Short mmCIF file of all heavy atoms in Angstrom, two decimals:
data_model
loop_
_atom_site.label_atom_id
_atom_site.label_comp_id
_atom_site.label_asym_id
_atom_site.label_seq_id
_atom_site.Cartn_x
_atom_site.Cartn_y
_atom_site.Cartn_z
N LEU T 24 29.97 -43.05 9.28
CA LEU T 24 30.12 -43.58 8.04
C LEU T 24 30.70 -42.45 7.20
O LEU T 24 31.45 -42.74 6.15
CB LEU T 24 28.98 -44.18 7.41
CG LEU T 24 29.02 -45.05 6.13
CD1 LEU T 24 29.92 -46.22 6.50
CD2 LEU T 24 27.70 -45.54 5.63
N ILE T 25 30.48 -41.24 7.37
CA ILE T 25 30.88 -40.02 6.45
C ILE T 25 32.18 -39.36 7.00
O ILE T 25 32.69 -38.38 6.53
CB ILE T 25 29.82 -39.09 6.26
CG1 ILE T 25 29.44 -38.46 7.50
CG2 ILE T 25 28.71 -39.60 5.56
CD1 ILE T 25 28.47 -37.27 7.43
N GLY T 26 32.76 -39.98 8.05
CA GLY T 26 33.82 -39.34 8.69
C GLY T 26 35.17 -39.31 7.96
O GLY T 26 36.08 -38.54 8.12
N THR T 27 35.31 -40.30 7.10
CA THR T 27 36.47 -40.48 6.23
C THR T 27 36.10 -41.28 4.93
O THR T 27 35.21 -42.03 4.93
CB THR T 27 37.54 -41.24 7.01
OG1 THR T 27 38.59 -41.56 6.18
CG2 THR T 27 37.06 -42.59 7.53
N SER T 28 36.83 -41.06 3.95
CA SER T 28 36.56 -41.58 2.69
C SER T 28 36.82 -43.09 2.76
O SER T 28 36.14 -43.93 1.97
CB SER T 28 37.53 -41.05 1.55
OG SER T 28 38.96 -41.29 1.87
N THR T 29 37.60 -43.61 3.72
CA THR T 29 37.77 -45.07 3.71
C THR T 29 36.56 -45.66 4.27
O THR T 29 36.20 -46.79 3.71
CB THR T 29 38.93 -45.31 4.80
OG1 THR T 29 40.13 -44.63 4.41
CG2 THR T 29 39.19 -46.79 4.94
N ASN T 30 35.77 -45.07 5.15
CA ASN T 30 34.64 -45.76 5.68
C ASN T 30 33.60 -45.86 4.52
O ASN T 30 32.84 -46.82 4.34
CB ASN T 30 33.90 -44.87 6.77
CG ASN T 30 34.78 -44.91 8.03
OD1 ASN T 30 35.74 -45.60 8.11
ND2 ASN T 30 34.54 -44.09 9.03
N ILE T 31 33.42 -44.77 3.77
CA ILE T 31 32.56 -44.73 2.61
C ILE T 31 32.80 -45.81 1.51
O ILE T 31 31.92 -46.47 0.98
CB ILE T 31 32.47 -43.36 1.98
CG1 ILE T 31 31.96 -42.35 2.93
CG2 ILE T 31 31.57 -43.26 0.65
CD1 ILE T 31 32.10 -40.81 2.46
N LEU T 32 34.24 -45.97 1.28
CA LEU T 32 34.63 -46.85 0.34
C LEU T 32 34.46 -48.35 0.71
O LEU T 32 34.04 -49.10 -0.03
CB LEU T 32 36.07 -46.58 -0.10
CG LEU T 32 36.78 -47.34 -1.12
CD1 LEU T 32 35.87 -47.09 -2.42
CD2 LEU T 32 38.14 -46.91 -1.47
N VAL T 33 34.79 -48.61 1.98
CA VAL T 33 34.60 -49.97 2.52
C VAL T 33 33.13 -50.37 2.44
O VAL T 33 32.79 -51.47 1.97
CB VAL T 33 35.03 -50.16 3.95
CG1 VAL T 33 34.63 -51.43 4.59
CG2 VAL T 33 36.56 -49.99 3.94
N ASP T 34 32.26 -49.47 2.78
CA ASP T 34 30.81 -49.68 2.80
C ASP T 34 30.41 -50.02 1.31
O ASP T 34 29.55 -50.89 1.07
CB ASP T 34 30.05 -48.51 3.38
CG ASP T 34 28.46 -48.65 3.33
OD1 ASP T 34 28.01 -49.62 3.67
OD2 ASP T 34 27.84 -47.68 2.72
N SER T 35 30.88 -49.18 0.39
CA SER T 35 30.43 -49.43 -1.10
C SER T 35 30.97 -50.69 -1.62
O SER T 35 30.23 -51.38 -2.22
CB SER T 35 31.08 -48.20 -1.83
OG SER T 35 30.80 -48.33 -3.22
N VAL T 36 32.26 -51.15 -1.30
CA VAL T 36 32.72 -52.39 -1.77
C VAL T 36 31.95 -53.59 -1.10
O VAL T 36 31.65 -54.54 -1.71
CB VAL T 36 34.19 -52.49 -1.34
CG1 VAL T 36 34.78 -53.83 -1.70
CG2 VAL T 36 34.95 -51.49 -2.11
N ALA T 37 31.55 -53.32 0.24
CA ALA T 37 30.82 -54.49 0.87
C ALA T 37 29.43 -54.52 0.24
O ALA T 37 28.89 -55.77 0.11
CB ALA T 37 30.68 -54.04 2.35
N GLN T 38 28.83 -53.41 -0.13
CA GLN T 38 27.41 -53.60 -0.82
C GLN T 38 27.55 -54.30 -2.12
O GLN T 38 26.71 -55.08 -2.47
CB GLN T 38 26.90 -52.17 -0.96
CG GLN T 38 26.42 -51.50 0.31
CD GLN T 38 25.73 -50.23 0.01
OE1 GLN T 38 24.84 -50.07 -0.77
NE2 GLN T 38 26.27 -49.09 0.79
N GLU T 39 28.69 -54.03 -2.84
CA GLU T 39 28.76 -54.62 -4.12
C GLU T 39 29.10 -56.18 -3.87
O GLU T 39 28.91 -56.95 -4.85
CB GLU T 39 30.13 -54.07 -4.87
CG GLU T 39 29.72 -52.59 -5.39
CD GLU T 39 30.97 -52.14 -6.21
OE1 GLU T 39 32.06 -52.71 -6.24
OE2 GLU T 39 30.76 -51.16 -6.91
N ASN T 40 29.60 -56.58 -2.77
CA ASN T 40 29.65 -58.00 -2.49
C ASN T 40 28.51 -58.63 -1.74
O ASN T 40 28.60 -59.68 -1.17
CB ASN T 40 30.98 -58.23 -1.63
CG ASN T 40 32.24 -58.12 -2.47
OD1 ASN T 40 32.70 -59.19 -2.84
ND2 ASN T 40 32.79 -56.95 -2.63
N GLY T 41 27.33 -57.97 -1.90
CA GLY T 41 26.08 -58.57 -1.33
C GLY T 41 25.69 -58.26 -0.03
O GLY T 41 24.75 -58.76 0.53
N MET T 42 26.43 -57.33 0.75
CA MET T 42 26.13 -57.04 2.09
C MET T 42 25.13 -55.87 2.22
O MET T 42 25.23 -55.01 1.21
CB MET T 42 27.40 -56.58 2.93
CG MET T 42 28.20 -57.85 3.34
SD MET T 42 29.74 -57.37 4.25
CE MET T 42 28.92 -56.56 5.62
N ALA T 43 24.39 -55.84 3.26
CA ALA T 43 23.59 -54.65 3.54
C ALA T 43 24.36 -53.37 3.83
O ALA T 43 25.39 -53.60 4.47
CB ALA T 43 22.55 -55.05 4.64
N PRO T 44 23.91 -52.28 3.39
CA PRO T 44 24.61 -51.06 3.77
C PRO T 44 24.75 -50.70 5.26
O PRO T 44 23.88 -51.14 5.95
CB PRO T 44 23.86 -49.90 2.94
CG PRO T 44 22.49 -50.51 2.87
CD PRO T 44 22.65 -52.06 2.68
N PHE T 45 25.83 -50.08 5.60
CA PHE T 45 25.95 -49.67 6.93
C PHE T 45 25.13 -48.47 7.19
O PHE T 45 25.13 -47.43 6.39
CB PHE T 45 27.48 -49.34 7.26
CG PHE T 45 28.29 -50.51 7.42
CD1 PHE T 45 28.83 -51.19 6.56
CD2 PHE T 45 28.53 -50.91 8.85
CE1 PHE T 45 29.58 -52.50 6.72
CE2 PHE T 45 29.33 -52.03 9.05
CZ PHE T 45 29.79 -52.87 8.03
N HIS T 46 24.49 -48.34 8.40
CA HIS T 46 23.85 -47.13 8.93
C HIS T 46 24.91 -46.01 9.17
O HIS T 46 26.06 -46.38 9.66
CB HIS T 46 23.05 -47.45 10.12
CG HIS T 46 22.21 -46.28 10.57
ND1 HIS T 46 22.58 -45.41 11.49
CD2 HIS T 46 20.93 -46.06 10.35
CE1 HIS T 46 21.68 -44.56 11.80
NE2 HIS T 46 20.63 -44.94 11.15
N ILE T 47 24.63 -44.75 9.06
CA ILE T 47 25.57 -43.69 9.23
C ILE T 47 26.29 -43.75 10.63
O ILE T 47 27.36 -43.49 10.81
CB ILE T 47 24.99 -42.29 8.98
CG1 ILE T 47 26.04 -41.34 9.03
CG2 ILE T 47 23.86 -42.06 10.02
CD1 ILE T 47 25.50 -39.91 8.65
N PHE T 48 25.44 -44.16 11.68
CA PHE T 48 26.03 -44.22 13.03
C PHE T 48 26.28 -45.63 13.53
O PHE T 48 26.45 -45.84 14.81
CB PHE T 48 25.06 -43.41 14.03
CG PHE T 48 25.18 -42.00 13.77
CD1 PHE T 48 24.03 -41.24 13.55
CD2 PHE T 48 26.35 -41.24 13.80
CE1 PHE T 48 24.02 -39.87 13.37
CE2 PHE T 48 26.42 -39.90 13.55
CZ PHE T 48 25.17 -39.21 13.35
N GLU T 49 26.25 -46.65 12.63
CA GLU T 49 26.33 -48.02 13.02
C GLU T 49 27.74 -48.24 13.78
O GLU T 49 27.85 -49.12 14.67
CB GLU T 49 26.14 -49.02 11.95
CG GLU T 49 26.17 -50.42 12.29
CD GLU T 49 25.90 -51.40 11.09
OE1 GLU T 49 25.34 -50.94 10.13
OE2 GLU T 49 26.15 -52.55 11.28
N ILE T 50 28.69 -47.59 13.29
CA ILE T 50 30.05 -47.82 13.79
C ILE T 50 30.42 -46.75 14.89
O ILE T 50 31.51 -46.84 15.49
CB ILE T 50 31.12 -47.75 12.73
CG1 ILE T 50 31.07 -46.28 12.00
CG2 ILE T 50 30.95 -48.73 11.57
CD1 ILE T 50 32.18 -46.06 10.95
N ALA T 51 29.47 -45.91 15.31
CA ALA T 51 29.75 -44.93 16.35
C ALA T 51 30.23 -45.34 17.71
O ALA T 51 31.08 -44.89 18.17
CB ALA T 51 28.48 -43.91 16.37
N PRO T 52 29.48 -46.40 18.20
CA PRO T 52 29.83 -46.77 19.52
C PRO T 52 31.30 -47.36 19.56
O PRO T 52 32.05 -46.96 20.51
CB PRO T 52 28.92 -48.08 19.80
CG PRO T 52 27.76 -47.75 18.88
CD PRO T 52 28.30 -47.10 17.77
N LEU T 53 31.67 -48.18 18.56
CA LEU T 53 33.15 -48.51 18.60
C LEU T 53 34.06 -47.35 18.29
O LEU T 53 35.10 -47.20 18.93
CB LEU T 53 33.31 -49.64 17.58
CG LEU T 53 34.76 -50.09 17.37
CD1 LEU T 53 35.40 -50.69 18.65
CD2 LEU T 53 34.85 -51.23 16.26
N GLY T 54 33.65 -46.55 17.34
CA GLY T 54 34.57 -45.29 16.95
C GLY T 54 34.66 -44.45 18.23
O GLY T 54 35.76 -43.94 18.48
N ALA T 55 33.62 -44.23 18.92
CA ALA T 55 33.64 -43.31 20.29
C ALA T 55 34.69 -43.92 21.21
O ALA T 55 35.39 -43.19 21.82
CB ALA T 55 32.28 -43.09 20.79
N ALA T 56 34.50 -45.25 21.42
CA ALA T 56 35.40 -45.84 22.38
C ALA T 56 36.81 -45.67 22.06
O ALA T 56 37.59 -45.50 22.79
CB ALA T 56 34.98 -47.35 22.49
N LEU T 57 37.04 -46.00 20.71
CA LEU T 57 38.54 -45.90 20.15
C LEU T 57 39.05 -44.40 20.35
O LEU T 57 40.13 -44.21 20.67
CB LEU T 57 38.58 -46.37 18.76
CG LEU T 57 38.61 -47.86 18.41
CD1 LEU T 57 38.64 -48.03 16.96
CD2 LEU T 57 39.88 -48.51 19.08
N ALA T 58 38.11 -43.48 19.99
CA ALA T 58 38.60 -42.10 20.02
C ALA T 58 38.92 -41.61 21.45
O ALA T 58 39.95 -41.00 21.67
CB ALA T 58 37.47 -41.21 19.53
N ALA T 59 37.97 -42.01 22.42
CA ALA T 59 38.28 -41.75 23.84
C ALA T 59 39.38 -42.37 24.33
O ALA T 59 40.29 -41.60 24.99
CB ALA T 59 36.90 -42.03 24.65
N ALA T 60 39.66 -43.58 24.07
CA ALA T 60 40.88 -44.31 24.54
C ALA T 60 42.12 -43.70 23.90
O ALA T 60 43.22 -43.48 24.57
CB ALA T 60 40.66 -45.77 24.21
N GLY T 61 41.96 -43.32 22.61
CA GLY T 61 43.19 -42.70 22.01
C GLY T 61 43.51 -41.47 22.42
O GLY T 61 44.84 -41.19 22.63
N ILE T 62 42.49 -40.58 22.76
CA ILE T 62 42.89 -39.20 23.31
C ILE T 62 43.51 -39.36 24.67
O ILE T 62 44.41 -38.70 25.01
CB ILE T 62 41.60 -38.32 23.20
CG1 ILE T 62 41.21 -38.05 21.81
CG2 ILE T 62 41.85 -37.08 24.06
CD1 ILE T 62 39.91 -37.33 21.45
N VAL T 63 42.87 -40.20 25.42
CA VAL T 63 43.34 -40.46 26.84
C VAL T 63 44.83 -40.90 26.81
O VAL T 63 45.77 -40.39 27.58
CB VAL T 63 42.51 -41.35 27.73
CG1 VAL T 63 43.14 -41.73 28.97
CG2 VAL T 63 41.06 -40.72 28.04
#
């Protein structure tokens, strides 16, 4: 969640629209898969 300002901002806007906040590593599984695939 702290990897880029975009993640922080999206989480903040989502909370203002009534959603529960994201956990810091909630997006890590998808992010790791994307990063691995991208580097390969």
Side-chain angles (χ1 to χ4, degrees):
L24 195 61
I25 61 174
T27 174
S28 60
T29 306
N30 295 352
I31 297 171
L32 188 55
V33 169
D34 177 52
S35 176
V36 173
Q38 289 184 52
E39 290 187 347
N40 282 267
M42 285 183 54
F45 279 82
H46 185 273
I47 187 172
F48 290 125
E49 184 175 342
I50 60 175
L53 177 58
L57 279 176
I62 291 173
V63 170

